């Protein structure tokens, strides 16, 4: 995970296997009032390489992975495409594929 934020590393070169420690829907209280999931729902993940852990956001086009229970807590995933950003002063990984 530390290498993902290294300025010399590029997502095309670094494709880590990580474990998903937690999956949470953002704004779940507001979304719970409706029967259908909102079109703009977002999920926050906690990912780990076994040594370090970090927060991540799942791109909304990947929400079907949550709905079909393909992406669940404790799953092992391969990050093919991602972006590391600073949001609100905190580093966060945006999972794109």
């Amino acid at each position: 995970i530390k290498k993902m934020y290294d300025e010399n590393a590029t997502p095309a070169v670094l494709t880590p296997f990580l474990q998903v420690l937690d999956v949470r829907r953002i704004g779940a209280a507001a979304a719970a009032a409706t029967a259908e999931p909102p079109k703009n729902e977002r999920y926050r993940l906690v990912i780990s390489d076994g040594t370090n852990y970090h927060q991540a956001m799942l791109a909304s086009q990947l929400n079907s992975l949550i709905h079909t229970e393909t992406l669940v807590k404790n799953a092992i995933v391969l990050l093919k495409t991602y972006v590391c950003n600073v949001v609100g002063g905190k580093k966060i990984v945006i999972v794109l594929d």
Side-chain angles (χ1 to χ4, degrees), residues 10-89:
T10 60
V13 175
L14 188 61
T15 54
F17 279 99
L18 301 170
Q19 182 176 18
V20 178
L21 299 180
D22 194 25
V23 178
R24 302 235 179 191
R25 185 165 64 179
I26 295 175
T34 62
E36 294 182 16
K39 291 181 174 56
N40 60 350
E41 72 180 341
R42 298 300 303 260
Y43 289 91
R44 180 181 62 85
L45 310 174
V46 177
I47 54 176
S48 171
D49 61 7
T51 303
N52 302 295
Y53 67 93
H54 208 74
Q55 288 196 16
M57 293 288 296
L58 187 65
S60 57
Q61 65 264 29
L62 299 177
N63 284 353
S64 63
L65 296 174
I66 302 290
H67 300 151
T68 60
E69 296 184 3
T70 303
L71 181 62
V72 294
K73 187 175 179 179
N74 297 321
I76 303 297
V77 297
L78 171 66
L79 291 190
K80 295 179 184 177
T81 310
Y82 59 89
V83 179
C84 297
N85 285 339
V86 177
V87 178

